[in-house]
Amino acid sequence: MRSWRRSLTPRGRLGLRVTSLVGALALAVAVLQVSVAGAGTIPPLGAAINPGTGVWITAGQGDVPHDQTLGLPGLDSSATVSFEANGTAHINAGTDADMFRALGYTQARFRLFEMDMARRQAEGRLAETTNDPAALPSDEYELDLGLLRASQRDWDALPTDSPARAVLNEYTQGVNAAMAQMKKDNALPLYYKLLNFSAEPWTPVDSLAVQRLETQTLSFDPLPTAYSYIAGAFGQQKFTQLYKSVGQNPQYPFDPGPYQKLPLTPMPARDDGAPTPTGGTVPQAAGSAAQFQTGSSAQAIDASLALQDRMSQLPVNAYHTIGDSNAWVVSGKLTASGKPIMASDPHLNLTMPSIWYQVELNSPSYHLSGVTLPGVPAVLDGKNQHISWGLTNSQRPNTFYYLEQTDAAHPDQYFWDGQWRPMAKIVNKIKKHDGSMVTYTTRMTVHGPIMTVQGVTAAVYFTGTMPSDNLDSMLTIEKATTFDQVHQALRTWVTPAQNFAYADDSGNIGIINAGVQPQTSDSCLPYLPMSGTGACDVTGSIPFEALPITYNPPSGFAQTANQREVGTDYPYYYGEGYDFFDQGWRSTEITKALTGATDITSQQMQNLQMSSVDDVARNLLPTVLNDLQGGQWDPTETKAINDLKNWNYNVTANSTAAAVFGRFMVMYGYDVWHPLWQQYKVPAPPRDVFTPRTSDSTYAVDGLNGLLINMTVGDTTNPVFSPPGSTTHDATDVVRAAFASAVAGLEKTRGPDESKWTFGGSHKVMIASLLKSPTLDEGPFPTGGSGRTIDSVVSAAPVRHGKTLTGVAVGGVSWRMVVDWGTGQAVGVYPGGQSENPASPWYSDRLADWFAGRNSPLLEGTQALAATKGRTWTLKP
């Protein structure tokens, strides 16, 4: 493990900042020796790869660009790509087509292998890159889910005059020109030779597949099946008491209503190989209690077992695991500059290289600054000359599961709408690394692909593979100048469900929620596996006009931090306390900071993005301290209590109080909920997503914290505090016991000196490399923050050499951006650098600034020209 230095020199990392071919080869071989063994269940060179993730050594790309003329066939005229000292690319072109061609060329020059491996994962082609057998399950999974089928369908459906079709064609030509040039110069990423597979030409479908893979990462979720464990054990009444659809703490939806109930709109026709729904009248659903029992049956538990087992073999980005993102907008009446300020910080897996590639793009129709997803020709989080936008994940679910009725007498059939019907079959050919082919069959019902067949047939209805004009929507947004233009552009946005925070130079702010939201019969429970016989089929989507929205709210600000975007009287199904469920702690912190504020500056908003205040501690700790006053405590425990008394609720790396409170929350949650799990005989699932565990950051456990606070403060004699066989009688008893256990645990693991129990001592963040190699990882570094703080650090612990790194997170803030329309200043930073090549000074040079919350200006125009002097490519046709 390498130690992190706040000040990084261009050649300051021994073994990483080599520029010679010999050095690069030696490092690559060393990395491969580390990586070939893999890391636990994650294959080393296949399924561990995700978009924005990876490290591959390149002999010819370690040096910083200098002034030179390069050929880019197909340009209408010359274009330039200039680079700042930190690698930010500024592309200037005389036509829109030339700009997108130059963007494809530039991304490929710095992120080709990242792009290539992302498309291979999305398209079910990882097995051809490695002999590791663990790559095959990823290919089978992706071929079932159907990202490639969806991408090909979308490309075929694009009209000949579609802006997206033209952009994808130009971008593709740019990527392939860079690839051809690198092949000619023997400068392809060295892993192509070391792993013995070819760099194949890029296609427009590949870009659509990479885009779909990110949709999958954001919105595909297996938890509805996993909740069968709890639902079946608790029964409906207890289950709904514990898992609420709205957080128990105060909520701050950006659209508080009033709402209108409009007729549902039809869902897009999937046309992805699934049978077309035909037949008679779909049967009516049974009553909710009956449906609850169906959804939580032994069949559903078996489906969960099979799916959980399958998911455990997949890369971390194959399903939704991280959802903490923030964005807020403040009107000019609250700012010092007199114009709006927008702040955005999407939270994703933290990877080397980053999921983002930063650019400024200039052409006759576009003037953009922000970050792109390598492989996709669009600025996803950024600004043009008049508006800015930032994205957060919407809380509503995009993944439904259906338990199909099958039996041995009807092989490859399922019972739907009153009769037995044949499953559609898609025969796939998977190429392995040795050149051999594997035949794999995907089976489809009207609900979608069959994802589990081990004793039970479960199909998944996933909006992430439905037709969507996302790229056309983004291209329209990138040229927009008004809120209404952005709103109208999002009419065709289908998936994933996103919130678009907005601010412009005319003084307007707002947030728009976009994307389809399936609806079923009111008697069905989509948060559990549903019957596949037809009674719970999707009946339509929330109409676009009824989705959450706010424009120039009276408060002068609006915020979206994955909280529920609407109030309890919203007239459509919007999800329950599962899946992507957020209590709204970060939303609360943002709201408190902005309420009543005046003369707000960009720097204050940058500081707020770095906030580590824990709203749970602020609400719960006063009661906890009051409960502890009557106890008998030894000197160490007394010191810990004093630390808590003097704490300001900031979860910082050097805070002892944060460490004590964090451990207390683990023990308190365990002492309250674990006996309940035992009392109701809740089965232990393969992935420990429900039972309180060694981290208090999981959604399933954190989803109970609001209820726990309310009981601790106002319902102290609730029976949950005195389960059968226990010696506790009320909340105070459990609080004291949990505190004693927390201190004893810290003393045992961290030593008797409580002053050394810093939060960062057991809570670290790592920027994970593609190969899961300590040589190429950045970190782990001691850090503050949690899933409840604005500056979030979240996700499961990584594995290295078969060992789980307990207390190490690999998810958090992937990009910070603040735009002040009054001063004209925009700033941003992400962890890592612009190059995927560890031999480049642009591999990790931004990490120190990201860690410290230091942002760099998004330079444009003459400022960018001055900052890029001496580092310009002139691209000639």
Side-chain angles (χ1 to χ4, degrees):
M1 303 294 177
R2 289 172 294 147
S3 62
W4 171 66
R5 297 173 175 84
R6 296 177 66 87
S7 177
L8 302 177
T9 61
R11 309 285 177 184
R13 293 178 183 271
L14 182 60
L16 289 181
R17 296 297 177 258
V18 291
T19 55
S20 68
L21 175 60
V22 173
L25 280 168
L27 179 57
V29 171
V31 170
L32 283 176
Q33 289 174 343
V34 170
S35 305
V36 164
T41 60
I42 302 176
L45 301 174
I49 302 166
N50 60 33
T53 303
V55 161
W56 31 89
I57 312 304
T58 307
Q61 289 184 332
D63 294 329
V64 170
H66 58 275
D67 286 350
Q68 63 182 128
T69 299
L70 300 169
L72 180 51
L75 291 177
D76 293 323
S77 59
S78 63
T80 61
V81 184
S82 302
F83 301 92
E84 296 180 39
N86 66 2
T88 297
H90 298 261
I91 299 175
N92 291 273
T95 68
D96 298 342
D98 284 357
M99 184 192 74
F100 285 110
R101 187 172 290 240
L103 175 62
Y105 177 88
T106 304
Q107 283 189 352
R109 285 290 300 265
F110 291 95
R111 301 287 187 88
L112 176 63
F113 201 83
E114 173 184 30
M115 294 162 57
D116 196 353
M117 299 311 288
R119 70 167 167 177
R120 290 175 191 262
Q121 181 185 348
E123 296 170 5
R125 298 174 55 202
L126 283 181
E128 66 188 8
T129 70
T130 174
N131 286 319
D132 194 294
L136 190 59
S138 175
D139 288 349
E140 294 173 344
Y141 170 85
E142 295 298 346
L143 290 170
D144 277 347
L145 199 56
L147 301 193
L148 178 57
R149 295 192 301 272
S151 301
Q152 186 65 60
R153 175 207 60 214
D154 289 352
W155 174 246
D156 292 341
L158 278 177
T160 56
D161 59 350
S162 164
R165 176 174 285 274
V167 166
L168 286 168
N169 274 323
E170 292 295 336
Y171 177 85
T172 295
Q173 294 303 314
V175 173
N176 288 329
M179 195 181 305
Q181 189 176 97
M182 287 188 285
K183 285 182 178 180
K184 179 181 177 182
D185 296 340
N186 195 29
L188 283 171
L190 196 57
Y191 274 117
Y192 284 112
K193 290 184 179 179
L194 293 172
L195 301 182
N196 191 28
F197 67 92
S198 302
E200 299 176 357
W202 194 262
T203 72
V205 173
D206 294 331
S207 288
L208 295 175
V210 172
Q211 174 187 313
R212 291 277 178 181
L213 183 60
E214 186 59 26
T215 296
Q216 177 182 327
T217 302
L218 291 172
S219 60
F220 186 85
D221 207 306
L223 284 181
T225 62
Y227 261 82
S228 303
Y229 286 84
I230 292 183
F234 282 151
Q236 183 176 16
Q237 182 177 5
K238 191 66 177 180
F239 182 81
T240 53
Q241 282 178 353
L242 292 174
Y243 292 92
K244 309 290 186 179
S245 59
V246 179
Q248 299 301 287
N249 51 304
Q251 297 291 298
Y252 300 95
F254 67 74
D255 185 354
Y259 310 109
Q260 53 181 337
K261 181 67 180 288
L262 302 174
L264 299 181
T265 58
M267 293 293 293
R270 258 203 329 253
D271 190 26
D272 58 356
T276 302
T278 59
T281 303
V282 174
Q284 294 298 309
S288 59
Q291 178 57 35
F292 184 88
Q293 294 302 322
T294 300
S296 58
S297 64
Q299 184 189 18
I301 293 177
D302 289 343
S304 178
L305 280 167
L307 185 62
Q308 295 295 313
D309 180 67
R310 188 176 190 185
M311 301 295 280
S312 68
Q313 305 176 60
L314 301 177
V316 67
N317 70 315
Y319 50 93
H320 174 238
T321 58
I322 297 174
D324 294 339
S325 296
N326 309 309
W328 62 87
V329 284
V330 185
S331 76
K333 68 181 183 181
L334 303 183
T335 67
S337 69
K339 287 291 183 70
I341 295 177
M342 189 199 79
S344 175
D345 53 295
H347 301 180
L348 298 163
N349 292 309
L350 301 178
T351 59
M352 298 298 296
S354 169
I355 191 174
W356 303 117
Y357 184 79
Q358 187 177 348
V359 296
E360 181 201 11
L361 303 176
N362 288 284
S363 71
S365 301
Y366 298 91
H367 189 167
L368 305 166
S369 292
V371 287
T372 62
L373 181 71
V376 179
V379 172
L380 298 181
D381 211 87
K383 63 180 288 292
N384 62 24
Q385 291 300 93
H386 299 285
I387 71 169
S388 56
W389 60 92
L391 279 66
T392 70
N393 231 3
S394 179
Q395 189 181 104
R396 48 196 176 87
N398 290 260
T399 314
F400 293 175
Y401 291 85
Y402 287 91
L403 302 177
E404 305 291 7
Q405 183 176 333
T406 61
D407 67 29
H410 299 85
D412 289 329
Q413 292 186 321
Y414 64 105
F415 190 80
W416 178 79
D417 191 26
Q419 60 182 288
W420 291 97
R421 301 169 186 272
M423 296 180 185
K425 294 182 181 181
I426 302 173
V427 179
N428 308 286
K429 297 290 186 180
I430 303 176
K431 182 181 179 181
K432 300 181 70 175
H433 191 253
D434 62 4
S436 63
M437 304 297 289
V438 174
T439 299
Y440 179 76
T441 300
T442 295
R443 289 170 168 79
M444 306 278 286
T445 73
V446 294
H447 303 114
I450 300 297
M451 301 300 285
T452 64
V453 291
Q454 300 176 23
V456 64
T457 304
V460 63
Y461 185 99
F462 178 46
T463 65
T465 55
M466 291 182 170
S468 182
D469 295 331
N470 287 11
L471 185 53
D472 268 329
S473 294
M474 283 306 307
L475 293 173
T476 302
I477 290 171
E478 289 174 345
K479 293 189 289 186
T481 60
T482 68
F483 183 85
D484 184 63
Q485 289 173 355
V486 173
H487 187 225
Q488 294 306 316
L490 291 171
R491 281 187 173 276
T492 56
W493 183 281
V494 173
T495 180
Q498 293 283 289
N499 297 303
F500 287 74
Y502 170 97
D504 65 32
D505 61 353
S506 296
N508 303 299
I509 63 171
I511 303 176
I512 303 165
N513 183 271
V516 297
Q517 181 53 53
Q519 302 290 290
T520 65
S521 166
D522 291 340
S523 298
C524 298
L525 304 178
Y527 53 87
L528 295 172
M530 297 180 289
S531 169
T533 59
C536 289
D537 284 5
V538 170
T539 55
S541 175
I542 298 176
F544 181 72
E545 290 78 8
L547 289 174
I549 188 171
T550 185
Y551 180 59
N552 290 334
S555 65
F557 69 88
Q559 51 78 28
T560 168
N562 310 127
Q563 82 280 18
R564 195 174 181 89
E565 296 95 335
V566 292
T568 56
D569 57 340
Y570 189 67
Y572 302 94
Y573 176 73
Y574 212 78
E576 298 290 334
Y578 88 109
D579 184 23
F580 183 23
F581 181 71
D582 190 280
Q583 289 279 348
W585 312 117
R586 289 172 290 114
S587 167
T588 298
E589 285 305 307
I590 297 167
T591 299
K592 288 182 177 180
L594 298 179
T595 300
T598 58
D599 295 326
I600 295 172
T601 66
S602 171
Q603 187 59 57
Q604 289 173 332
M605 297 298 90
Q606 295 173 55
N607 295 342
L608 184 58
Q609 288 180 327
M610 296 295 293
S611 171
S612 61
V613 173
D614 185 349
D615 193 56
V616 169
R618 182 163 49 197
N619 284 279
L620 185 60
L621 188 55
T623 298
V624 169
L625 290 172
N626 186 66
D627 289 342
L628 296 179
Q629 282 184 351
Q632 300 295 318
W633 309 110
D634 65 28
T636 302
E637 292 167 331
T638 300
K639 289 179 181 178
I641 291 174
N642 288 333
D643 287 334
L644 292 176
K645 288 180 178 179
N646 296 321
W647 189 32
N648 60 1
Y649 313 123
N650 275 284
V651 184
T652 57
N654 61 358
S655 172
T656 300
V660 173
F661 183 77
R663 187 59 190 167
F664 164 77
M665 284 298 298
V666 171
M667 298 311 303
Y668 189 42
Y670 186 86
D671 288 350
V672 170
W673 302 122
H674 187 62
L676 191 67
W677 263 238
Q678 291 181 314
Q679 178 184 349
Y680 282 86
K681 297 182 174 58
V682 178
R687 284 196 309 143
D688 195 8
V689 293
F690 302 116
T691 305
R693 46 189 274 185
T694 57
S695 170
D696 64 337
S697 63
T698 57
Y699 286 116
V701 174
D702 200 49
L704 299 175
N705 275 335
L707 180 61
L708 184 58
I709 291 173
N710 286 352
M711 292 190 303
T712 305
V713 175
D715 189 13
T716 59
T717 59
N718 190 294
V720 75
F721 295 116
S722 55
S726 71
T727 59
T728 57
H729 304 288
D730 57 21
T732 298
D733 290 340
V734 184
V735 165
R736 290 176 180 175
F739 175 76
S741 297
V743 173
L746 287 168
E747 192 169 13
K748 179 179 180 180
T749 58
R750 309 283 292 278
D753 186 355
E754 55 80 34
S755 66
K756 295 182 179 180
W757 300 350
T758 60
F759 186 79
S762 59
H763 184 69
K764 297 178 173 62
V765 64
M766 184 167 74
I767 321 300
S769 64
L770 163 68
L771 299 181
K772 309 302 183 222
S773 165
T775 305
L776 298 177
D777 293 333
E778 292 289 341
F781 312 125
T783 186
S786 73
R788 298 191 297 262
T789 61
I790 295 175
D791 185 23
S792 292
V793 177
V794 293
S795 82
V799 177
R800 294 295 179 270
H801 301 308
K803 179 181 179 182
T804 300
L805 303 183
T806 303
V808 176
V810 290
V813 182
S814 66
W815 161 248
R816 297 189 189 100
M817 179 178 67
V818 175
V819 179
D820 186 338
W821 284 107
T823 64
Q825 180 194 51
V827 297
V829 71
Y830 66 77
Q834 290 283 85
S835 175
E836 67 187 8
N837 181 5
S840 168
W842 291 345
Y843 176 66
S844 60
D845 56 311
R846 303 180 180 207
L847 182 56
D849 287 341
W850 173 83
F851 220 102
R854 294 189 294 263
N855 296 297
S856 297
L858 274 62
L859 300 179
E860 299 175 345
T862 56
Q863 287 184 320
L865 185 63
T868 58
K869 187 175 182 180
R871 292 183 293 270
T872 295
W873 291 341
T874 300
L875 305 179
K876 295 285 188 179

